[in-house]
Amino acid sequence: MMHKLLGAIMILLGCGGFGFSMAARHRRDVRCLQVFLASLDYLECELEYRLTPLPDLCRKVVRICPGAVGKVYDRLASELEGQAVPTVEPCFRQALLSDGELPPNTRAVMEQFGQTLGAFDLSGQLRGIQSVRESGMRTLKTLSDNQFRRIQNYKTLGICAGAALAILLI
């Protein structure tokens, strides 16, 4: 009897933990996308008013962007400095591939940004940043709609699934 009870508790904790990890992953996805959108604002101002070289600009962005987004910018700066003839798109793609912590929604928006960064003149760059910002805002709105309810649902479903499985196995 004790083994069954211990097994039921372990199943409940495992499924509940999975639900809580899904909720944390959703929160992290929203946070990363917000940080990336803030970095776009900084990049736009720097490009428009200072014309900072891209590797230096990426190093500056690392200081204001914590976490996975900052790591991508740091890796991009290293990639750009290490190339003899730097082209931004392959360097950006390599920087994204080297980071496994970036959430999928943020990665998709950043891939779009990597296609426009360094490919056009200043006005084209600024239009590209604006386009990526709009795409990111749409994604952020989709993630943020009913965020509290969605997070609560992940937690509840994890616990309920664990309880149902424990009842079935007892």
Side-chain angles (χ1 to χ4, degrees):
M1 181 64 177
M2 188 61 144
H3 293 291
K4 286 183 180 182
L5 182 61
L6 185 61
I9 291 172
M10 296 298 278
I11 289 171
L12 184 64
L13 288 175
C15 291
F18 182 74
F20 277 79
S21 72
M22 291 287 293
R25 189 176 305 137
H26 183 76
R27 268 193 233 103
R28 191 172 134 258
D29 200 359
V30 169
R31 220 175 6 254
C32 277
L33 196 53
Q34 289 170 338
V35 167
F36 175 66
L37 291 173
S39 77
L40 288 179
D41 292 337
Y42 184 79
L43 283 167
E44 184 177 31
C45 289
E46 283 286 324
L47 285 174
E48 191 169 4
Y49 298 113
R50 287 194 177 175
L51 294 173
T52 308
L54 198 53
D56 297 337
L57 183 57
C58 289
R59 296 276 185 222
K60 286 182 177 183
V61 172
V62 169
R63 292 184 210 132
I64 64 164
C65 290
V69 175
K71 289 179 185 176
V72 170
Y73 279 114
D74 188 41
R75 179 72 179 175
L76 176 60
S78 299
E79 288 285 329
L80 288 171
E81 289 169 347
Q83 298 252 340
V85 181
T87 54
V88 180
E89 186 176 359
C91 292
F92 204 93
R93 194 175 311 118
Q94 186 63 33
L96 283 174
L97 288 175
S98 68
D99 187 74
E101 299 177 22
L102 205 60
N105 288 312
T106 306
R107 181 180 302 275
V109 175
M110 287 184 88
E111 284 173 356
Q112 180 186 357
F113 178 56
Q115 294 171 355
T116 62
L117 188 64
F120 304 107
D121 62 346
L122 180 60
S123 63
Q125 297 256 0
L126 295 174
R127 282 194 306 270
I129 289 174
Q130 186 62 32
S131 172
V132 170
R133 181 183 295 116
E134 289 170 5
S135 174
M137 292 300 285
R138 281 192 304 270
T139 304
L140 183 61
K141 183 181 178 335
T142 302
L143 288 174
S144 296
D145 285 348
N146 298 323
Q147 179 182 1
F148 179 75
R149 180 175 288 157
R150 187 175 297 163
I151 287 173
Q152 291 300 333
N153 286 342
Y154 285 143
K155 293 175 183 178
T156 303
L157 284 172
I159 291 171
C160 289
L165 191 59
I167 289 170
L168 283 174
L169 294 176
I170 288 182

